[in-house]
Amino acid sequence: MILLDEPTERVCAAIVSGELAPVRLAMVAPGGYGKTTVLDHLAGADVRLVDDAHLLGDEDLAAILRHLDDEQAGLVIAARPYPRPVKLNEVLGRLRGQIVLRPFDRARTERFRGRESAAVQAQTGGVPGLVRAADDLTLLRHELDRASEDVLRFLLAAEAGAGPDLAGTAIEAAHATGLLAADGTLLPVAARALRELIPHDRQIALRRQLVERQLERGGPVLRLVLPLLGAGLTGDGIAAAFEAAAAEAEPATALELYEAAVRAGRPVSARWAEAAVRHGDFDTALRLADQVIAAESAPDRGEAARIAGIALAHRGQLARSAELFQWSDNGDGNCFAAIGFYGTGQATQARQALEKCSAGGPPTLLAGAVSAAAKGIAESVTDQPAVALATLVRSAEMLEPVSASALLPDSPAALGALVALHSGEAAIAEPLLARAVEAGSLVARHRLLLAWIAMVRGEEETAATRLGEAGDELAPRDWLFAVGLRVGLARRASDLAALRRIWGQAREAVVRHPVDLFTFLPFGEFEVAAARLGERARLAPHLRQARQLLAALGDPPLWATALHWSGLHAAILDEQPGEAAEHAGALRAAAEAGPYFEVMARAAECWLKVLGGDVDPIAVEDAARGLHGAGLCWDGARLAGQAAIRTSDRKAMVTLLDCARVLQGREPSVTPGPTRLSERERQVAELVLAGLTYKQIGDRLFISAKTVEHHMARMRQRIGAGSRSELLAELRVELDQGTT
């Protein structure tokens, strides 16, 4: 069956009818394009037909040239574009034109097969011989059997999508097979034929030769090596190829390639451990790194120690991480060691490591950024918070161009954000973290810190969204922050049921993650939640460790303030006025560290007075707005709301409730009056304020406890109260107004 496009069909018809004479035409096309079929179609015409002219010797080609000496002699000659003997060029040079053979379009493919063939068209590119072979790959066996080793290697390289720079003749010969698309990619049906028709052992041998040649040239080998995974190959050459390919691969694939390299004869390397860290498999990374460190003859023991230090930092084991960085004894390692030692309260070791930070190495962006980060953490302990923050911001900006590829125990952006959060500079932290996320560096950690900023601002929905974006596959350190966020959001929503549900995770996080300087934020949330749930005893050893850590560093205000602030609120919830006063005193002692710390001290004093029943609405509002201005929006609103609950002055109560609503981003109360509550809601509100339980109220009003709960929910929504305590205060005002 012959299916030609219209122009070629007209030419063939003219040849057969004798209309076109004398005929002197060539058909030059790759294999599978139907040259032989066209010659069979022309049989009977007064013209000499020659097939496979590219395979003819000089004598046969000379005879054709003599045939062409007769100007009336006709000739249609078919050949592949390669090989091209000199005498064949002479023959072609004496012809008058070509019969052009084109691949089938989809319509001709479907006519040829007698059915819908979109998939076959995509698999074959419409090459007629491949369309025929789509249902029977053995039709391509002859083509592959007669292909040279160089051609087969080229086809296998094309199958892998590698296309190495082989000899020009191999490329031309491969294209002449018709198995390649115009852009040099192997057509899918041809790829199947390679895999199924070439014996497996021969494939492996050819691929191995291909890989070794590419490795000698220094070209990329990943795509060429991947088909050899699992083949059980050994030897120095293939082991080197697996390692070279691993350096090009994504972490998950790199892990397989490094393992294959070891099986092929390579020793376990620090690079394998690094790939495991990049993949988030810290257990494997630590196991591999430990093997390298233990091997006295291993040349990369220091690098293995650095990788182990990074893995342990992500797992929250900062003290051991710092020891490994110090042992690695390179510039970056000493910088990381200094950060870790400061983070665990080991000031002397930190200063010693800082002296050797980035010593002797090239002045790269990474080295400069890491050195600045270590200096910034040192300044956070010994200098003014603003100085430390400025150093860490510069460190993060220096690292940005190379941050996506850098493997770090922590990022300058995250450390800078922590310092910013501890000093009331969330507005500086947010863009720093956003750029780090965009750069693809420690994305989950940076998203969690962005969520923390939103939470302390009172933007609970944004915080929950950012928490969700961080994902569920988290390193232990990141999981600690994620749990801290869930605890904090439940507490701010006054959702005691949710807080109880999440508390089990919080307890696990505390047990798994030692406290360090950079985890005070989640531990602070846990402390307040523990007080709310009557679980403070469980957290006491960890908080004692945190305060010992601070004492070892000289109680730096930047880090101590957050812990004393959470301690103050835990003491308030636990009804421990003496302990609350101690925390307030510590906050007052840190007030000289800067405006933020002064705001915190003033708010703490205000809390003590409110708890004692001394509610000065002007002082409370001033302190609450100070907290809001420092970025602690929810804390500011809570102070105002709690003061409103505790004052007996109705005017002060209304003023403070309005202040709380404004600080929460809501409108203050409008004209007073009892119109917001229905009669039934008013009855429920009176009984709730009298201290009755929902069940007792239901019994009194002949409704179910669930109905009472629905009434309360509707009242909270209508009034716009941010918490139950604020709702009760609003209801007191509402009922009081209704009786005046």
Side-chain angles (χ1 to χ4, degrees), residues 296-425:
E296 294 185 6
S297 60
D300 53 351
R301 295 174 78 197
E303 179 62 14
R306 189 182 75 87
I307 297 301
I310 291 171
L312 285 169
H314 285 274
R315 293 187 63 166
Q317 305 291 328
L318 201 57
R320 179 59 177 160
S321 168
E323 291 173 4
L324 281 160
F325 281 128
Q326 187 178 48
W327 189 85
S328 72
D329 198 27
N330 62 56
D332 291 352
N334 282 310
C335 295
F336 295 143
I339 293 171
F341 284 135
Y342 275 122
T344 52
Q346 301 176 75
T348 302
Q349 295 94 320
R351 288 191 292 269
Q352 291 170 353
L354 195 62
E355 290 175 1
K356 298 190 290 183
C357 183
S358 292
T364 62
L365 284 174
L366 177 60
V370 170
S371 176
K375 181 182 177 184
I377 294 302
E379 291 169 343
S380 76
V381 172
T382 61
D383 212 325
Q384 289 294 311
V387 174
L389 182 56
T391 302
L392 287 164
V393 167
R394 289 195 296 271
S395 170
E397 291 174 345
M398 191 184 307
L399 186 66
E400 279 180 15
V402 295
S403 61
S405 60
L407 184 64
L408 304 171
D410 208 347
S411 75
L415 294 171
L418 287 170
V419 168
L421 278 163
H422 280 267
S423 57
E425 297 288 0

Side-chain angles (χ1 to χ4, degrees), residues 258-277:
Y258 281 123
E259 184 175 4
V262 170
R263 288 178 178 172
R266 275 286 198 269
V268 173
S269 68
R271 285 179 292 177
W272 188 2
E274 179 179 341
V277 171

Side-chain angles (χ1 to χ4, degrees), residues 47-302:
V47 60
R48 182 177 178 180
L49 305 174
V50 178
D51 200 2
D52 289 333
H54 56 285
L55 299 178
L56 297 178
D58 285 350
E59 290 185 8
D60 291 329
L61 291 170
I64 294 172
L65 286 169
R66 288 193 296 274
H67 174 75
L68 290 174
D69 287 342
D70 181 356
E71 293 296 329
Q72 297 304 311
L75 176 69
V76 176
I77 187 170
R80 291 189 178 187
Y82 182 86
R84 184 69 67 85
V86 173
K87 284 196 174 296
L88 178 57
N89 278 334
E90 291 182 35
V91 171
L92 296 177
R94 292 177 64 177
L95 302 181
R96 296 171 181 170
Q98 287 196 53
I99 298 174
V100 179
L101 299 179
R102 300 177 180 86
F104 288 166
D105 57 19
R106 181 173 169 182
R108 281 194 289 154
T109 297
E110 293 183 354
R111 282 178 58 198
F112 183 87
R113 291 172 55 81
R115 57 186 182 275
E116 200 281 330
S117 299
V120 170
Q121 181 73 15
Q123 290 275 314
T124 64
V127 175
L130 299 184
V131 172
R132 187 183 301 107
D135 296 322
D136 183 5
L137 288 179
T138 60
L139 295 175
L140 298 178
R141 186 182 299 280
H142 177 66
E143 186 69 58
L144 296 177
D145 285 347
R146 68 181 181 179
S148 68
E149 296 282 289
D150 280 347
V151 168
L152 288 176
R153 277 192 292 268
F154 184 89
L155 294 176
L156 288 169
E159 180 208 9
D165 184 19
L166 298 174
T169 55
I171 295 173
E172 293 173 3
H175 277 276
T177 64
L179 302 177
L180 296 168
D183 62 0
T185 58
L186 192 69
L187 290 164
V189 72
R192 280 200 295 126
L194 281 175
R195 292 192 296 269
E196 296 181 23
L197 299 180
I198 299 177
H200 181 70
D201 289 348
R202 190 181 183 204
Q203 284 188 53
I204 295 298
L206 290 168
R207 291 183 191 278
R208 183 166 186 162
Q209 294 167 15
L210 196 59
V211 167
E212 290 174 350
R213 291 185 182 188
Q214 183 76 335
L215 199 60
E216 288 174 5
R217 281 196 293 270
V221 295
L222 176 59
R223 291 183 174 182
L224 298 172
V225 163
L226 287 177
L228 297 177
L229 276 174
L233 301 180
T234 59
D236 290 343
I238 197 65
F242 282 133
E243 278 197 337
E248 302 172 31
E250 292 296 316
T253 305
L255 285 174
E256 295 183 60
L257 289 162
Y258 281 123
E259 184 175 4
V262 170
R263 288 178 178 172
R266 275 286 198 269
V268 173
S269 68
R271 285 179 292 177
W272 188 2
E274 179 179 341
V277 171
R278 290 186 183 276
H279 189 52
D281 187 352
F282 301 115
D283 287 345
T284 296
L286 289 167
R287 174 176 56 81
L288 295 170
D290 199 57
Q291 290 181 43
V292 178
I293 294 168
E296 294 185 6
S297 60
D300 53 351
R301 295 174 78 197

